[in-house]
Amino acid sequence: MSLRGVKIVGVGHYAPERVVTNADFERWLDTSDEWITTRTGMKRRHWVANGEATSDLALRAAQAALEFAGMDAADVDCFIVATVTPDYAFPATACLVAARLGAKDRAAFDLSIACSGFIYGLTVASGLIRSGIYRRIMLIGAETLSKILDPADRATAILFGDGAGAVILEAAETDSFLGAELGADGSKPELLYVRAGGSRHRIDRAALDAKEDLIHMHGREVFKFAVHKMIAATDAALARAQLTKADVTLLIPHQANKRIIDAAARYLEMPDHKVVVNIAEYGNTSAASIPIALSESVRAGKIADGEVIVFVGFGGGLSWGAVAWRWAA
Ligand code: ACO
């Protein structure tokens, strides 16, 4: 029996308890529920409490995925956490999560490509399984973006939320991985970045005063890039899978802005009921947004055996990617 395919056998998600509504921002920012709703589609987002970190959210999502799959952490060969808000610069958050789950001596690493993290992770993890290197991989997208937000910047503070989503991938006879397209353009990092805290710019007094340890974004440029790349990446992934738009049953896009999702869905001729949108509840949770949406959809019984899903995302880098995936129950 050849096990050179891959399928998803477990899904889980978690968002912190504290909810911040659009109305909450009105108390300290020159903004309104009306502006945020019409320009982004967001209503609420979840933010961690003091003392809560990314691995805490990742752990809860991973536990839910293990429970869903009826597995123990010891059954998993490799742990990957896609995040740009790790607990520490190092060790990798995946090491912490694996240890807290009680998995001993397993492979564990983080993947840092911002909001494209889950798409890149799904491609890497599928490759590791389809090549026979590992049998089971836990892939988690987890972020605490509230920790790197400037609460006084109305253009970014309202956009981001915290959360985690996890999938367990397993070797299988039939293959769910149909095709992928990944890309990046690092020529303009400043379009969406945290300037200080790496090896180029230290976090010192001046950096803190300039808020360089926090997210900076050129929203309009990112918006245009996002619509273009969501469409191009989806087309390319479908071409590699030798499928057409008409074959797609469900679009699970990165949840950055409802208007970006709508523009991409229009081009792809996907009616509303074929597009998963939960942005009103979570805001943009970066690498966590797609696995949270997938976990919610699977748990709500919205995905049937054999259906074709396109996962598509974009983010800091700038980076983008799409994966065409046949759901196997
Ligand atoms: N409330 C009220 N007004 C606001 C707010 C706010 N929260 N934010 C911005 N404005 C104002 C601006 O100051 C501007 O005012 P001005 O015309 O007087 O200068 C006006 O609204 C319009 O600003 P724009 O930036 O043109 O607004 P836009 O319609 O582009 O929406 C937004 C801004 C929501 C940020 C949009 O550009 C967007 O979603 N961009 C993409 C962001 C994104 O996808 N990021 C993904 C990151 S993924 C990752 O890797 C982390």
Side-chain angles (χ1 to χ4, degrees), residues 30-31 35 39-40 114-115 154-155 158-160 192 217 219-220 222-223 254 256-257 259-260 284 314-316:
D30 180 14
T31 190
W35 193 95
R39 305 308 291 170
T40 72
C115 301
R154 67 178 182 173
I158 55 136
L159 292 178
F160 297 100
L192 178 52
M217 183 178 75
R220 247 173 264 184
V222 174
F223 190 102
H254 171 46
N257 188 315
R259 290 185 293 137
I260 294 174
N284 178 351
F314 62 91

Side-chain angles (χ1 to χ4, degrees), residues 6 24 35 50 105 126 131 139 146 155 180 185 198 209 238 243 247 271 300:
V6 59
D24 289 333
W35 193 95
N50 285 339
D105 302 333
S126 296
S131 62
L139 169 64
S146 65
D185 174 1
D209 287 346
L238 287 175
L243 296 172
D247 297 311

